[in-house]
Amino acid sequence: INKIFLNTGLALFFMTAMIGKISAQVNASRCMLDFVNNFFAYFTFQVARLIEASGLLHCCYPVQNFFAWASGQPLQTSEAPRS
């Protein structure tokens, strides 16, 4: 167990994730949705809701393909081609 968590960095990953999430949880529990008090925050919230409702949560892949196309460089992967 120690080799799995300490040698691979999983312990540091989980510690960073837990510490990083605490501030968001405290803010959400104290402020609820009161922090959405300007147009930019409201717009961002609505875009997030739209993406969540559409099921397009992995929209980073089309963005990655666009930037690869725009730069003229092929995407490199270590995975075998799909059959």
Side-chain angles (χ1 to χ4, degrees):
I1 301 269
N2 285 339
K3 287 183 181 180
I4 292 171
F5 282 108
L6 298 178
N7 289 347
T8 61
L10 280 176
L12 185 60
F13 167 75
F14 286 126
M15 176 82 95
T16 305
M18 286 186 286
I19 290 174
K21 193 172 181 177
I22 286 175
S23 63
Q25 287 178 337
V26 169
N27 188 28
S29 68
R30 299 291 295 163
C31 300
M32 297 299 191
L33 291 178
D34 292 341
F35 65 91
V36 185
N37 59 357
N38 60 22
F39 177 75
F40 180 72
Y42 182 72
F43 174 74
T44 305
F45 177 67
Q46 293 299 333
V47 169
R49 285 183 60 203
L50 179 69
I51 291 172
E52 180 79 26
S54 71
L56 187 65
L57 292 177
H58 295 287
C59 65
C60 60
Y61 296 117
V63 172
Q64 176 190 22
N65 290 333
F66 170 75
F67 280 111
W69 172 79
S71 66
Q73 296 182 354
L75 292 175
Q76 297 177 353
T77 181
S78 54
E79 295 181 2
R82 293 182 180 180
S83 58

